[in-house]
Amino acid sequence: AQGRVELGFSRHSNFNYLEHLYQAGCLKALIPKNYSEVPDVILINTSGGITGGDELQIQANVGEKVNVCLTTQTAERAYKSCQGIGKIEVDLSLENRSKLDWIPQETILFDKSAIKRTIKVDMLEHSHLLMVESIILGRQAMGECVSNNLFLDQWKILRNNKPIYLESLKLSNANELSGFATLGKNKALATILYIAPDSEERLGQMRKLLAETDVLGGASAWDGKLVVRLISECPRFLRLALIKILTQFRERSLPRVWLM
């Protein structure tokens, strides 16, 4: 399957507007009415998941002073790959004083899946970025053990054309992460990244929110960014923790697809 979505947003008369939309193949974008000044954009993969040979491309430009939220209709499922690698490319651009919440739902890695994902963000000094990515290792209800898979994940965040955050993750055998120094028995993990002028000031708030959840997590802030890591044995507990943290940190409800 192949899919591409291009989105462009601008602000006029104190309202956020969809200025550009292009969609092709299996990727679609919907903007349901949420009775809020901040539009929720729901990305839909009509192929039902991703497997070897699939290529998905998402591009979004958030104009000056625009505030928008991008999420997915449901969890993305990485299915067994018979041959090749499925590719996901995300390219986000934030202009001056814009705010983007990139909060897709979970990515579930099935056994023998093969996925390569790249996320690139170009932003300015006074723009705000909130990113959330969570990974589930196998289907807990099925007792699935992810022992033969490949997941390559690369993040590159540029602020004023200079790298401010780089991250590279490779999961080639999830069983290798079962040691005490890694994930242990935990099968669900998530990263929250907040880059904004007030990111370091909000570290105390984030640590307080983490202390009120039932999952293991930690937060650090430096050089204009706030990074949070979360792990849990139960994917449901991780999801509930993310809902609570994001709702209070964003000071508004999550898109309804998160609560269904």
Side-chain angles (χ1 to χ4, degrees), residues 90-178:
V90 180
D91 193 350
L92 308 173
S93 176
L94 285 72
E95 297 185 18
N96 189 39
R97 298 171 64 186
S98 62
K99 295 182 179 181
L100 171 63
D101 291 349
W102 172 262
I103 50 175
Q105 299 189 64
E106 305 89 343
T107 297
I108 304 175
L109 302 181
F110 286 51
D111 196 30
K112 298 182 175 59
S113 60
I115 301 295
K116 180 180 180 180
R117 181 176 66 185
T118 59
I119 301 177
K120 181 184 177 183
V121 182
D122 287 292
M123 59 187 299
L124 298 179
E125 184 175 357
H126 297 291
S127 49
H128 294 65
L129 171 68
L130 175 63
M131 282 182 57
V132 179
E133 287 288 354
S134 51
I135 301 171
I136 310 299
L137 302 177
R139 297 162 293 178
Q140 186 181 48
M142 301 290 291
E144 185 174 29
C145 178
V146 180
S147 59
N148 183 15
N149 73 294
L150 178 63
F151 180 65
L152 304 173
D153 195 21
Q154 294 182 332
W155 297 13
K156 184 177 182 180
I157 316 296
L158 304 177
R159 185 170 61 189
N160 296 335
N161 295 320
K162 296 181 180 180
I164 184 176
Y165 187 83
L166 302 174
E167 178 170 322
S168 183
L169 172 67
K170 179 181 179 181
L171 294 177
S172 57
N173 186 339
N175 280 346
E176 295 177 353
L177 298 177
S178 59

Side-chain angles (χ1 to χ4, degrees), residues 151-223:
F151 180 65
L152 304 173
D153 195 21
Q154 294 182 332
W155 297 13
K156 184 177 182 180
I157 316 296
L158 304 177
R159 185 170 61 189
N160 296 335
N161 295 320
K162 296 181 180 180
I164 184 176
Y165 187 83
L166 302 174
E167 178 170 322
S168 183
L169 172 67
K170 179 181 179 181
L171 294 177
S172 57
N173 186 339
N175 280 346
E176 295 177 353
L177 298 177
S178 59
F180 290 111
T182 50
L183 290 177
K185 296 181 180 180
N186 297 289
K187 299 299 182 182
L189 59 152
T191 297
I192 301 174
L193 174 63
Y194 180 61
I195 300 178
D198 64 344
S199 58
E200 296 179 59
E201 300 172 9
R202 303 188 67 181
L203 176 60
Q205 176 193 8
M206 179 59 74
R207 286 178 171 171
K208 182 179 179 181
L209 292 174
L210 288 174
E212 297 172 352
T213 67
D214 295 324
V215 301
L216 181 62
S220 300
W222 74 100
D223 193 25

Side-chain angles (χ1 to χ4, degrees), residues 165 235 251 253:
Y165 187 83
E251 297 181 344
S253 298

